[in-house]
Amino acid sequence: MDDKIIIAKRVAQEMRSGQLVNLGIGIPTLVASHLPKGVEVFFQSENGIIGMAPVPGAGLEDDFLTDAGGSYVGALPGACSFDSCTSFGIIRGGHLDVTVLGGLQVDEAGQLANWVVPGKLIPGMGGGMDLVSGAKRVIVAMIHTAKGAPKILKKVSLPLTSVRRVDLIVTDMAVIEPTEAGLVLRETASGVSVEQVVAATEAKLTISPQVTSMTLD
C-alpha cells in the first residue's frame, strides 16, 4: 500500500461523526476518501466551504468548487460557501473540531513547522498558523523521513507554524503522541519495528508499554 494512503487511512480512524474537520493540502486531502463506514463528518476549507466531498466523477469538476490548494472538490447536499472573513472567524473562534495538516518538521515539544523552506518561493503561510492555533485538535500527517533524513527532530530548524503543541503525529511508520513530557510512540505500521521507528527519529521517543500495530480499517 502506498505510504500516503497508509497515513490517510490511519488519520481517518481519528474522525468522529458530526465533527467539523479541516484538511490541509497534500496528504491530508486524502483523508476524505478513507473515512470508516458510517462515519460522517463536515469538511471545511479555509477558502470558504463547509460540506466538501470528493469530485463526484470524471468531467464533473467545477471551477467554483476547489479546496484551499486549488484542487477540485465536490459538495454534499446542504453544503455552504462563504467569504474568507467568515471562514477564518470559524477557525480563529475555536469552532473546528479537528485540523489535519502536512508537516515538514515536528520536534520533541510537539511544535510544527510546515509552511516554508528558506530560500524557496512560496505563496505564503495560508491558514496554517490560524489552524494550528485555533482548532480543538491538531493532527500532523506526514512521511516519517525526507530522503532518509528524520523529520521528527529534537528541535525544528525551519520557521514554526505555531508554538502550540500538536495533538497527534501520524506517519507511514508510526503514530506518535506529543505530551507535556515528550513524544510517546503509540503504534507502529505493519511490518515496522519499534527499533526502526527509533532509528528514523532524531527526537527522543518514550515507548508506550502498550505499543500496538496501526489499524487501517
Side-chain angles (χ1 to χ4, degrees), residues 115-116 121-127:
W115 71 280
V116 62
L121 182 65
I122 61 158
M125 179 173 279

Side-chain angles (χ1 to χ4, degrees), residues 150-165:
K151 293 172 63 176
I152 303 176
L153 309 171
K154 292 183 180 295
K155 187 68 178 176
V156 298
S157 59
L158 297 175
L160 284 175
T161 303
S162 172
V163 296
R164 172 186 171 171
R165 182 173 70 234

Side-chain angles (χ1 to χ4, degrees), residues 82-90:
F82 34 81
D83 61 17
S84 290
C85 291
T86 301
S87 185
F88 278 86
I90 291 169

Side-chain angles (χ1 to χ4, degrees), residues 99-124:
T99 185
V100 184
L101 298 170
L104 297 171
Q105 297 176 342
V106 185
D107 65 17
E108 287 183 357
Q111 293 181 326
L112 170 68
N114 81 335
W115 71 280
V116 62
V117 176
K120 290 193 175 183
L121 182 65
I122 61 158

Side-chain angles (χ1 to χ4, degrees), residues 11-202:
V11 171
Q13 301 299 311
E14 296 294 313
M15 303 298 116
R16 301 293 179 265
S17 288
Q19 287 182 326
L20 182 59
V21 179
N22 174 281
L23 300 178
I25 61 174
I27 295 174
T29 62
L30 301 174
V31 173
S33 299
H34 296 285
L35 289 175
K37 186 176 181 179
V39 174
E40 297 182 359
V41 303
F42 300 95
F43 288 114
Q44 183 260 5
S45 180
E46 61 264 34
N47 61 324
I49 182 173
I50 290 177
M52 283 193 305
V55 175
L60 295 177
E61 297 85 358
D62 186 328
D63 288 342
F64 291 99
L65 274 176
T66 68
D67 62 21
S71 298
Y72 290 114
V73 296
L76 296 172
C80 61
S81 61
F82 34 81
D83 61 17
S84 290
C85 291
T86 301
S87 185
F88 278 86
I90 291 169
I91 295 168
R92 295 170 181 169
H95 302 292
L96 278 178
D97 293 300
V98 183
T99 185
V100 184
L101 298 170
L104 297 171
Q105 297 176 342
V106 185
D107 65 17
E108 287 183 357
Q111 293 181 326
L112 170 68
N114 81 335
W115 71 280
V116 62
V117 176
K120 290 193 175 183
L121 182 65
I122 61 158
M125 179 173 279
M129 180 187 296
D130 303 275
L131 289 163
V132 177
S133 300
K136 296 172 185 174
R137 191 165 189 238
V138 179
I139 300 175
V140 178
M142 68 180 192
I143 300 296
H144 204 96
T145 61
K147 298 180 180 178
K151 293 172 63 176
I152 303 176
L153 309 171
K154 292 183 180 295
K155 187 68 178 176
V156 298
S157 59
L158 297 175
L160 284 175
T161 303
S162 172
V163 296
R164 172 186 171 171
R165 182 173 70 234
V166 302
D167 297 285
L168 199 68
I169 306 165
V170 179
T171 77
D172 52 313
M173 297 183 72
V175 176
I176 297 169
E177 181 186 3
T179 71
E180 194 170 324
L183 302 180
V184 180
L185 177 61
R186 299 291 187 193
E187 302 174 21
T188 58
S190 177
V192 177
S193 68
V194 169
E195 291 74 21
Q196 286 174 309
V197 176
V198 171
T201 308
E202 181 190 277

